[in-house]
């Protein structure tokens, strides 16, 4: 069995042709619209040569004993580090990496990552970062609705692409959506990632979001971290990567939290919930 540290490297080898198969009637069709990411049919998963540079990095991946799906367990037995496993639209999607390293404030750096697509324990295909890629795949995450999101392996993990299953058998990798939905589609939030919080809040205010009043009433957390304190500051860490959280509300019952990192207070994630 071929053993490789990087699946990207394996797929570029002539000998990997023994593993890459032409899709049969049940394996689905794979396509990518995203530069730097390839999606191909795969008949058999090569053995990896996963490594972890320090014991602390164990929190960055899923221990084999905690894996819930046969597909995830199979990937782990092939000596890859599993970062996520998701059952969606009749398939199991497993993200895995060849290298995990812990960083400041519990952060994780993931390298040589991929997303494999299974039916049961039968691998059908894989999404991987090709030679045009500037970022590695880190993990896959389930979104509300019919999409999964592929995140990179840096810290913070930032979106690389969205993945959809079309008509039950077309697995397509596309660009990250301009908006994310929450609360069964009741709430739609624009993609404000990578914006500094002062710009992101202007976008949110333009769509009807307001400062969460439970945070603005006498709450001065984070007041020493901004030239002009923001009343929606929920929390800020003055050490490490400088995580901050900000809260907003709409219609009194729709709630939004926005996370930032670093001195520039760059938005890295957001989530919403409804009463």
């Amino acid at each position: 069995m071929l053993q490789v540290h990087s699946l990207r490297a394996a797929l570029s080898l002539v000998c990997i042709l023994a593993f890459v198969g032409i899709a049969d009637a049940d394996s689905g069709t794979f396509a990518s619209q995203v530069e730097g990411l390839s999606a191909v049919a795969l008949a058999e998963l090569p053995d990896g040569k996963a490594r972890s540079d320090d014991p602390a990095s164990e929190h960055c991946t899923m221990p084999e004993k905690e894996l819930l799906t046969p597909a995830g367990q199979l990937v782990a037995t092939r000596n890859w580090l599993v970062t996520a496993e998701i059952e969606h639209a009749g398939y199991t999607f497993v993200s895995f990496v060849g290298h995990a390293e812990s960083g400041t404030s519990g952060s994780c750096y993931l390298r040589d990552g991929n997303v494999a697509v299974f039916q049961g324990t039968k691998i059908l295909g894989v999404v991987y970062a090709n030679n045009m890629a500037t970022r590695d795949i880190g993990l896959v995450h389930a979104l509300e609705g019919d999409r999964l999101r592929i995140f990179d392996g840096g810290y913070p993990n930032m979106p690389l692409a969205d993945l959809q299953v079309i008509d039950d058998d077309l697995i397509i990798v596309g660009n990250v959506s301009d908006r994310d939905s929450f609360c069964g589609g009741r709430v739609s939030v624009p993609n404000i990632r990578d914006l500094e919080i002062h710009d992101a809040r202007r976008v949110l205010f333009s769509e009807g979001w307001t400062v969460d009043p439970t945070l603005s009433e006498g709450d001065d957390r984070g007041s020493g971290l901004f030239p002009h304190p923001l009343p929606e500051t929920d929390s800020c860490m003055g050490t490490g990567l400088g995580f901050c959280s900000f809260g907003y509300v709409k219609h009194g019952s729709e709630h939004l939290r926005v996370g930032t990192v670093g001195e520039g207070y760059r938005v890295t994630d957001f989530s919403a919930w409804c009463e």
Side-chain angles (χ1 to χ4, degrees), residues 92-244:
T92 303
F93 296 83
V94 180
S95 55
F96 58 97
V97 299
H99 180 156
E101 181 181 351
S102 62
T104 304
S105 302
S107 60
C108 296
Y109 297 89
L110 307 171
R111 299 289 180 267
D112 304 321
N114 316 272
V115 179
V117 184
F118 289 84
Q119 281 185 330
T121 56
K122 178 186 178 183
I123 189 168
L124 306 178
V126 67
V127 180
Y128 69 98
N130 59 39
N131 291 332
M132 298 293 291
T134 58
R135 295 185 288 167
D136 281 312
I137 292 174
L139 69 158
V140 64
H141 177 74
L143 301 177
E144 180 175 283
D146 63 350
R147 292 178 294 130
L148 305 180
R149 180 155 292 159
I150 300 173
F151 286 84
D152 69 16
Y155 196 85
N157 301 119
M158 298 296 285
L160 276 176
D162 284 359
L163 192 154
Q164 286 183 286
V165 179
I166 307 296
D167 294 333
D168 298 327
D169 63 352
L170 172 60
I171 294 92
I172 187 166
V173 179
N175 293 318
V176 175
S177 175
D178 291 335
R179 307 186 70 88
D180 286 347
S181 64
F182 302 89
C183 305
R186 173 177 159 188
V187 175
S188 175
V189 181
N191 183 2
I192 54 174
R193 291 182 180 86
D194 260 343
L195 293 178
E196 293 188 0
I197 189 60
H198 290 87
D199 295 327
R201 70 198 298 264
R202 292 180 62 183
V203 174
L204 295 175
F205 292 160
S206 74
E207 296 204 355
W209 293 95
T210 60
V211 172
D212 187 335
T214 65
L215 302 176
S216 61
E217 296 174 355
D219 192 337
D220 62 353
R221 284 174 289 185
S223 61
L225 301 179
F226 300 98
H228 303 287
L230 302 184
E232 64 263 44
T233 304
D234 180 20
S235 62
C236 271
M237 295 176 59
T239 60
L241 293 172
F243 300 108
C244 287

